């Protein structure tokens, strides 16, 4: 099995999504700050407690940073994760 690192960088006006350290999407809409809403990792909640589109797989690590990362920072984070994974 191969693991992947998905990174989402967002502010009030823009969102960027990276896969394995490479920018794959840039959009003009930001996301709501975490303090203002509930977030669900691995599922999408449509109404009430009914979860839809559940993630099929394993999430081994989840992080939230309160800082801005450049494209280079995100690639370095991915490369350091790959290095740790190869060591076991």
């Amino acid at each position: 099995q191969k693991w992947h690192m998905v990174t989402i960088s967002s502010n009030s006006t823009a969102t960027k999504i990276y896969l394995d350290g490479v920018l794959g999407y840039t959009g003009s809409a930001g996301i709501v700050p975490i303090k203002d809403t509930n977030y669900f990792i691995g599922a999408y909640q449509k109404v009430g407690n009914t979860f839809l589109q559940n993630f099929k797989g394993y999430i081994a690590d989840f992080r939230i940073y309160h800082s801005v990362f450049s494209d280079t920072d995100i690639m370095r984070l991915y490369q350091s994760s790959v290095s740790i994974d190869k060591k076991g």
Side-chain angles (χ1 to χ4, degrees):
Q1 293 182 358
K2 179 170 174 33
W3 68 270
H4 293 281
M5 183 175 123
V6 177
T7 308
I8 301 171
S9 174
S10 185
N11 59 31
S12 61
T13 60
T15 298
K16 293 181 179 181
I17 301 176
Y18 301 79
L19 178 62
D20 297 337
V22 178
L23 180 62
Y25 170 83
T26 301
S28 59
I31 57 175
V32 178
I34 290 175
K35 67 180 180 174
D36 294 341
T37 190
N38 294 323
Y39 282 82
F40 301 91
I41 301 166
Y44 169 75
Q45 183 187 27
K46 185 173 183 179
V47 177
N49 289 326
T50 302
F51 292 96
L52 304 172
Q53 301 174 353
N54 293 311
F55 175 75
K56 292 178 176 73
Y58 298 99
I59 299 174
D61 192 10
F62 183 85
R63 302 175 191 182
I64 297 174
Y65 295 96
H66 185 58
S67 56
V68 177
F69 283 35
S70 69
D71 292 351
T72 302
D73 294 333
I74 291 172
M75 179 53 80
R76 284 186 187 141
L77 183 62
Y78 170 70
Q79 289 171 337
S80 69
S81 297
V82 170
S83 175
I84 291 169
D85 188 56
K86 286 182 180 179
K87 292 177 185 175

